[in-house]
Amino acid sequence: MKRFYKVVTSQAEPAGGFSIRLDGKPVKTPSGQMVVAPTPALADGLVQEWSAQVDNIVPDTMPLTQVLVTAIDRVAGERKTMTDMVAGYLDTDLLCYQTEEPPELAAQQNAAWAPARDWFARVSGAALVVTPGLSAIRQPDAAHKYVRRAMEGMNLYQFTVFQLVTVVSGSVVLGLAFMEGVVTPDDVFIAANVEDLYRAEIYNEALYGPAPHQEKQRATMRADLNASRDFLDRLKP
């Protein structure tokens, strides 16, 4: 879509929050709802994204807008379903399926995964079951209850980020640790890609470069994780 506006501003709304305005007219989501940021800092971020568009509006260059629109148009109406879906990640959590062979990969997995598992055990009081196989496991009820309580304590915008990080990484443990600032976007990226990065070492990717599709996937994941951190930080009063 061609850029059709000149001035981007934010405006405090009587019902709360800050709408984003293009030449004075409110930006709306695909469903027709007004795009309203809950904090001034997030509104400023959205204004910057819309102002940075040049000849065309490119949604992929506006990650904060995309996360907020997802919260408004999708998560707000589907939270219960999404909560159940995300809770299900605990029994298939990436961090709990750790290989034993080859030893080098096992060591890299343990270095990237054990700190988050240990953190979860401390805060939840439930040690996670870890298996070297692919057979389905059931985590302790106490762990499931902790995840549910944590999700219940999140507001709409926090939950939107949490479910995004969980789905992108394949780990509800990483998602929770991310929300608490225990792990960084880089930590989550490495943890979610241990095996891929291990293969990259074997095939001397540093010299020959990654396959184009791998490079694109990695770039997209990094962008999603960095945007998620920025979005969370901007939610602070």
Side-chain angles (χ1 to χ4, degrees):
M1 179 188 295
K2 291 284 187 182
R3 174 168 173 161
F4 57 87
Y5 53 89
K6 293 182 179 179
V7 180
V8 186
T9 57
S10 64
Q11 177 178 303
E13 293 296 322
F18 304 83
S19 62
I20 309 304
R21 304 270 169 163
L22 307 179
D23 295 335
K25 297 180 180 179
V27 175
K28 294 189 176 182
T29 70
S31 71
Q33 300 187 72
M34 222 167 37
V35 173
V36 178
T39 64
L42 184 56
D44 288 346
L46 268 68
V47 168
Q48 291 169 22
E49 288 185 341
W50 285 89
S51 297
Q53 304 305 299
V54 187
D55 295 326
N56 296 299
I57 299 173
V58 183
D60 286 348
T61 64
M62 298 190 288
L64 297 177
T65 301
Q66 289 184 318
V67 175
L68 182 56
V69 168
T70 297
I72 295 169
D73 265 6
R74 185 182 174 202
V75 180
E78 301 177 19
R79 178 152 180 178
K80 184 181 185 306
T81 299
M82 295 179 77
T83 296
D84 292 340
M85 180 272 292
V86 173
Y89 270 75
L90 185 59
D91 288 333
T92 60
D93 199 289
L94 173 71
L95 307 195
C96 298
Y97 290 81
Q98 186 168 316
T99 190
E100 293 179 339
E101 298 290 341
E104 296 84 358
L105 175 57
Q108 290 181 24
Q109 286 181 339
N110 194 62
W113 296 353
R117 287 196 309 253
D118 293 344
W119 167 82
F120 182 86
R122 288 195 301 273
V123 297
S124 69
L128 294 169
V129 177
V130 179
T131 177
L134 296 177
S135 300
I137 55 178
R138 169 73 183 177
Q139 295 297 348
D141 287 344
H144 280 277
K145 290 177 181 177
Y146 180 82
V147 171
R148 289 278 184 177
R149 286 197 304 271
M151 288 191 287
E152 288 170 1
M154 296 176 191
N155 64 35
L156 169 65
Y157 310 103
Q158 292 167 334
F159 179 78
T160 299
V161 171
F162 168 64
Q163 63 83 30
L164 187 157
V165 175
T166 296
V167 172
V168 164
S169 67
S171 170
V172 72
V173 174
L174 286 175
L176 289 173
F178 186 89
M179 297 300 294
E180 294 298 324
V182 174
V183 295
T184 66
D186 280 346
D187 293 332
V188 177
F189 177 84
I190 291 169
N193 290 280
V194 172
E195 189 169 348
D196 187 33
L197 297 175
Y198 170 75
R199 287 197 301 268
E201 291 179 8
I202 293 176
Y203 295 114
N204 201 6
E205 193 177 276
L207 177 63
Y208 297 106
H213 74 280
Q214 289 178 318
E215 188 172 23
K216 183 177 180 180
Q217 288 174 347
R218 292 172 188 172
T220 298
M221 180 180 285
R222 282 193 181 278
D224 286 343
L225 292 170
N226 287 331
S228 295
R229 183 72 264 162
D230 190 18
F231 191 97
L232 274 184
D233 289 344
R234 290 175 182 274
L235 290 179
K236 298 173 182 176

